Amino acid sequence: MIKTPFRRRTATPRPVPDPQPEAAAVLAALADPVIVVDRNGEIRLVNTAAEQFFGTSSAALRGIALADLVVPHSPLLGLVDSVWRSGNTISEYDMPLDGARFGSRSVTIQGALAGEAADLLVLTLHERAMVDKVDRQLTHRNAARSITAMAAMLAHEVKNPLSGIRGAAQLLEQDADEAGRELTRLICDETDRIVALVDRMEASNIHEILERVRKLAQSGFARHVRFVEEYDPSLPLVHGNRDLLVQVFLNIVKNAAEAVPGADGEIILTTGYRHGLRLAGPGGAGRRHLPLMVAISDNGPGIPEDMRPYLFDPFVTTKRNGTGLGLALVAKVIGDHGGVIEFDSQPRRTVFRVFLPVVAQDGIG
């Protein structure tokens, strides 16, 4: 019998579709305005949402200079320059954006490099950022009145004079009558109380705060939950009221623990340093860096779609006996500390991220 030589069958290669039309379709489907500029500052590409935002067609926007789209000295141009120089992704919350074509808006903007040689810069605009929602309902953020600024002032300007006042009161007590001694003891007690208050608002290690939160949770409402810790050990300290920060993260963890399944519930605590995140103060002034990130994620079913726009509003809750004040207070405390909170949610992965300023250290913060 003659054997026929084995022949390997070669599959006919299928044509690979051109990715450009698909990329354009994806870009057009995005709900947020997207602008792509080159190193000359000219607009190369915009999506449909950007056309609607600027009230101008894509054909009219392509090829013009970004600087011609906004007012002179716009903070947007400063953000673009920072991204080109640093190569980092940079985000700014509450940036005022003004232009003849679209009026005055307050937006959150993210800039990131793209392209094979990083020769393109992608700007993503988010109007009505979550932090705007929180501020309108709860507090008008003011850096001068924030706990961060107050803590720094108290730590450096109040504790030393208080020590002198207490020492003087103790000296007076030696020669005072009973009524005088009662007053000097009152002075000492009040100075001790103020010093204790200052100490609670001084620099804290965020990992010590999260460790306390984890222990409290696992000893009570989260006994059935598996905790995973993914910490960056090199993080700087954060200014703030330690007790309030413990309560903030405890509230978020409690919500996560109530959402996860009973059998394989998991909560992940993550910390990290984000170089590019900045927050503009009222009127676009006083931009602050918010590099310290704390993320709390769970594998619960996710937040209902219709609840997401109102999640940080007072009296909004999915719990049968809930008051709807937990996350509203969380957002206020984070805002008072000079930070912001945001979330992403999908089935089996809901993440709350808190961004905070850090103690200034060697130019950081």
Side-chain angles (χ1 to χ4, degrees):
M1 183 178 66
I2 301 175
K3 293 184 178 180
T4 304
F6 173 76
R7 294 182 180 178
R8 182 181 299 274
R9 297 182 62 185
T10 304
T12 303
R14 292 182 297 176
V16 178
D18 183 1
Q20 294 300 324
E22 293 184 6
V26 170
L27 194 63
L30 295 177
D32 293 319
V34 176
I35 310 169
V36 180
V37 298
D38 59 22
R39 287 191 175 271
N40 295 322
E42 293 184 356
I43 297 175
R44 297 279 297 275
L45 184 66
V46 296
N47 67 346
T48 304
E51 292 181 283
Q52 296 172 353
F53 182 91
F54 293 110
T56 307
S57 69
S58 174
L61 288 170
R62 285 199 304 268
I64 71 170
L66 182 65
D68 293 337
L69 195 61
V70 295
V71 297
H73 310 295
S74 170
L76 173 63
L77 302 179
L79 180 145
V80 169
D81 183 61
S82 296
V83 174
W84 283 125
R85 285 188 288 103
S86 68
N88 295 325
T89 297
I90 296 180
S91 302
E92 286 206 14
Y93 285 83
D94 297 346
M95 175 185 286
L97 195 62
D98 301 284
R101 299 171 185 261
F102 55 91
S104 181
R105 308 280 188 93
S106 179
V107 296
T108 292
I109 299 183
Q110 182 181 76
L113 297 183
E116 294 183 2
D119 54 353
L120 296 174
L121 191 152
V122 180
L123 294 169
T124 307
L125 283 61
H126 306 272
E127 196 172 15
R128 300 190 64 194
M130 184 59 68
V131 66
D132 294 333
K133 185 80 173 175
V134 173
D135 284 346
R136 284 196 302 272
Q137 297 292 339
L138 299 171
T139 182
H140 184 75
R141 184 178 291 108
N142 187 325
R145 296 169 56 193
S146 72
I147 286 180
T148 302
M150 185 169 64
M153 182 273 292
L154 289 174
H156 292 92
E157 303 297 335
V158 175
K159 288 183 68 175
N160 288 339
L162 284 176
S163 179
I165 292 171
R166 194 182 196 285
Q170 289 176 323
L171 289 175
L172 291 173
E173 186 177 11
Q174 297 175 5
D175 299 322
D177 56 18
E178 183 59 32
R181 284 195 292 273
E182 184 176 346
L183 289 175
T184 56
R185 284 195 293 270
L186 178 61
I187 293 173
C188 291
D189 290 344
E190 286 301 294
T191 53
D192 290 343
R193 183 180 65 83
I194 296 172
V195 168
L197 176 64
V198 173
D199 287 339
R200 286 200 299 272
M201 292 196 300
E202 285 192 332
S204 300
N205 185 316
I206 196 67
H207 296 131
E208 293 177 359
I209 292 173
L210 292 175
E211 182 64 13
R212 178 167 176 78
V213 168
R214 183 189 63 79
K215 289 180 178 179
L216 287 171
Q218 286 193 310
S219 66
F221 57 80
R223 290 190 185 94
H224 64 292
V225 179
R226 173 176 176 262
F227 278 80
V228 178
E229 296 166 323
E230 300 175 350
Y231 292 162
D232 178 350
S234 64
L235 291 183
L237 301 177
V238 59
H239 264 311
N241 186 308
R242 180 186 176 90
D243 293 339
L244 285 178
L245 289 176
V246 167
Q247 190 60 50
V248 159
F249 293 116
L250 196 62
N251 281 4
I252 300 174
V253 168
K254 187 173 188 297
N255 286 342
E258 293 173 349
V260 299
D264 60 344
E266 180 180 84
I267 295 175
I268 303 175
L269 306 177
T270 306
T271 62
Y273 196 90
R274 301 293 183 265
H275 291 271
L277 188 62
R278 298 184 291 186
L279 173 67
R287 288 182 180 81
R288 286 167 286 150
H289 291 266
L290 304 178
L292 192 147
M293 185 274 296
V294 178
I296 299 174
S297 59
D298 66 71
N299 62 343
I303 300 168
E305 188 75 33
D306 59 343
M307 292 286 296
R308 297 178 189 180
Y310 314 104
L311 195 63
F312 293 106
D313 288 1
F315 312 115
V316 174
T317 181
T318 58
K319 302 175 186 176
R320 177 174 299 177
N321 298 317
T323 63
L325 291 175
L327 286 177
L329 292 175
V330 163
K332 184 181 188 306
V333 171
I334 294 301
D336 287 345
H337 279 75
V340 295
I341 181 170
E342 63 181 24
F343 71 92
D344 295 319
S345 185
Q346 54 186 299
R348 295 194 62 81
R349 187 181 181 275
T350 295
V351 186
F352 282 83
R353 297 183 184 88
V354 174
F355 297 93
L356 292 167
V358 298
V359 177
Q361 185 177 29
D362 297 330
I364 298 175

